[in-house]
């Protein structure tokens, strides 16, 4: 049995963000079209004292022949050992014979598919002439979130905000060089309120438990991607904004309603109607929903992620890696 090993550098050599945006669209479409078999993730408490957890996310996306499992291990104590705290591995299986065909670095895969799904939503929902962007949060997900938006809109100014201004400045400096081919000016700011009412697109990617911007100050026509808030107690997005939003789309309605405090908290308080969070981006891609209808509409896309995104993105990476003869082959 031959298995292709794809490390981070291999993956980045094999694909670009546009490839993964298209893969994510396919995953969303297949999920909303009922062509995915995505069981509930299995969570094992390995060491309760140290909060060590192993998470197994299996799935099948029929139309894309994508079968496999992503394994994410949460080991907070790894930071003391100089290791990453959430190592991740993707295992792809050949749907025709059941043999493992590839093992991929799951960390870069997750960052790519998460950034790309925001890119897909931005491409579909934001105004076509949007040219000012605000990124809130500069953690591990931030680079791909920034690149995804730059790849689908002609952004002139991309503002970067973080609670730690020095970190924001360092991030902006690095991204200015790495993403210079997009032609955007990348600017670190000390206070997001300086630009919140002027930008056309906003992406929030934090672990905050309280809103990270003023929902009353965003302008009409804005599109926002909510990427953080993947647990019931996290709340990046202010309730006032969700009330103002004309259209809300999710990657999976079930996942968002179950996992994201952005919607769970205001629904429990009665400020947000559950029915408003009933539209999936995949259904819009399938033309079963109505998207932006005017330049003044306010739109919000919420993602918590699901295994289908990993599977289809991984399959695309595998296909292009084989085509370009990238990666290391091993025999078992």
């Amino acid at each position: 049995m031959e298995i292709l090993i794809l490390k981070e550098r291999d993956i980045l050599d094999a694909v670009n963000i546009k490839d993964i945006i298209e893969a994510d669209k396919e995953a969303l479409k297949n999920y909303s079209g009922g062509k995915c078999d995505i069981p509930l993730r299995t969570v094992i408490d390995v060491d309760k004292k140290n909060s060590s957890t192993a998470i197994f996310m299996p799935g099948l996306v029929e139309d894309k022949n994508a079968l496999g499992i992503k394994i994410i291990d949460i080991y907070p104590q790894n930071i003391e050992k100089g290791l990453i705290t959430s190592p991740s591995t993707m295992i792809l299986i050949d749907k025709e014979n059941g043999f493992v065909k590839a093992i991929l670095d799951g960390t870069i895969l997750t960052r790519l598919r998460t950034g790309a799904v925001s890119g897909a939503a931005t491409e579909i929902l934001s105004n076509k002439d949007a040219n000012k962007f605000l990124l809130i949060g500069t953690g591990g997900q931030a680079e791909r979130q920034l690149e995804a938006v730059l790849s689908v809109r002609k952004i002139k100014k991309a503002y970067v905000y973080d609670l730690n201004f020095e970190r924001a400045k360092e991030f902006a400096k690095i991204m200015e060089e790495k993403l210079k081919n997009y032609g955007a000016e990348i600017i670190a700011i000390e206070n997001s309120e300086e630009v919140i009412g002027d930008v056309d697109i906003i992406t929030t990617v934090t672990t905050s438990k309280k809103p990270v911007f003023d929902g009353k100050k965003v302008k009409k026509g804005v599109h926002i991607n909510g990427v953080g808030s993947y647990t019931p107690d996290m709340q990046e997005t202010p309730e006032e904004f969700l009330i103002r939003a004309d259209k809300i789309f999710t990657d999976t309605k079930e996942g968002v309603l179950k996992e994201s405090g952005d919607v769970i908290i205001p629904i429990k308080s009665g400020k947000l109607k559950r029915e408003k969070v009933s539209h999936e981006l995949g259904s819009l891609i399938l033309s079963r929903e109505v998207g932006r209808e005017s330049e003044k509409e306010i739109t919000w896309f919420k993602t918590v992620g699901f295994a289908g995104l990993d599977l289809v993105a991984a399959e695309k990476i595998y296909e292009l890696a084989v085509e370009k003869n990238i990666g290391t082959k091993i025999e078992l």
Side-chain angles (χ1 to χ4, degrees), residues 28-311:
L28 292 165
K29 183 171 68 174
N30 275 269
Y31 181 87
S32 294
K35 294 181 180 179
C36 288
D37 185 354
I38 309 294
L40 290 174
R41 65 187 75 184
T42 298
V43 180
I44 298 175
D45 290 324
V46 179
D47 183 346
K48 291 185 178 180
K49 180 182 178 181
N50 290 308
S51 300
S52 302
T53 305
I55 304 169
F56 299 86
M57 300 170 60
L60 166 68
V61 182
E62 296 174 15
D63 276 9
K64 308 310 294 181
N65 290 320
L67 173 66
I69 183 168
K70 187 169 82 169
I71 305 166
I72 307 173
D73 300 304
I74 311 298
Y75 276 61
Q77 68 273 22
N78 274 4
I79 197 167
E80 299 166 8
K81 306 173 185 177
L83 301 171
I84 62 173
T85 57
S86 53
S88 176
T89 304
M90 182 77 203
I91 300 171
L92 274 182
I93 298 169
D94 191 317
K95 183 171 170 282
E96 300 305 315
N97 59 34
F99 284 97
V100 171
K101 64 182 182 182
I103 299 175
L104 293 78
D105 180 316
T107 303
I108 187 61
L109 168 65
T110 302
R111 290 175 178 177
L112 283 168
R113 65 83 155 157
T114 307
V117 80
S118 294
T122 301
E123 183 179 47
I124 294 166
L125 293 171
S126 71
N127 279 309
K128 299 291 186 282
D129 61 352
N131 59 52
K132 293 179 183 177
F133 172 52
L134 170 61
L135 175 67
I136 299 177
T138 62
Q141 291 280 352
E143 178 179 344
R144 304 305 163 187
Q145 293 293 332
L146 175 57
E147 184 181 11
V149 171
L150 296 185
S151 76
V152 299
R153 287 290 178 266
K154 293 187 180 301
I155 301 298
K156 294 179 181 177
K157 291 187 177 182
Y159 300 100
V160 177
Y161 171 75
D162 193 280
L163 288 174
N164 184 325
F165 183 50
E166 292 303 314
R167 187 165 57 196
K169 286 196 294 184
E170 182 65 16
F171 176 82
K173 180 181 178 181
I174 294 171
M175 292 302 106
E176 185 84 33
E177 177 60 28
K178 290 185 76 171
L179 304 177
K180 61 185 178 182
N181 57 305
Y182 291 105
E185 184 181 4
I186 301 174
I187 308 160
I189 55 175
E190 282 192 82
N191 186 350
S192 62
E193 298 300 309
E194 299 171 21
V195 300
I196 199 74
D198 186 45
V199 293
D200 308 302
I201 303 164
I202 301 169
T203 294
T204 58
V205 56
T206 76
T207 56
S208 180
K209 294 187 178 182
K210 60 182 181 180
V212 296
F213 65 91
D214 188 334
K216 296 176 182 177
K217 291 185 178 180
V218 297
K219 70 178 185 179
K220 286 188 176 297
V222 73
H223 169 70
I224 298 183
N225 300 303
V227 182
S229 182
Y230 49 84
T231 66
D233 63 340
M234 291 181 184
Q235 189 182 22
E236 295 183 306
T237 309
E239 297 170 358
E240 295 82 2
F241 170 77
L242 296 182
I243 293 167
R244 287 184 64 199
D246 295 290
K247 291 188 173 74
I248 289 175
F249 286 90
T250 66
D251 55 358
T252 69
K253 139 180 103 176
E254 181 182 10
V256 169
L257 287 168
K258 182 180 179 182
E259 297 177 16
S260 176
D262 272 349
V263 298
I264 292 171
I265 294 169
I267 287 174
K268 282 185 176 179
S269 71
K271 293 181 179 179
L272 179 68
K273 292 184 178 179
R274 186 184 179 92
E275 295 74 30
K276 197 171 182 179
V277 193
S278 62
H279 309 286
E280 293 179 342
L281 191 61
S283 291
L284 178 55
I285 296 170
L286 289 167
S287 300
R288 296 175 181 175
E289 302 273 4
V290 177
R292 177 178 289 277
E293 295 178 279
S294 82
E295 292 183 354
K296 292 186 176 181
E297 279 193 331
I298 294 173
T299 57
W300 185 59
F301 171 68
K302 178 61 198 168
T303 176
V304 292
F306 69 105
L309 294 171
D310 296 298
L311 286 162

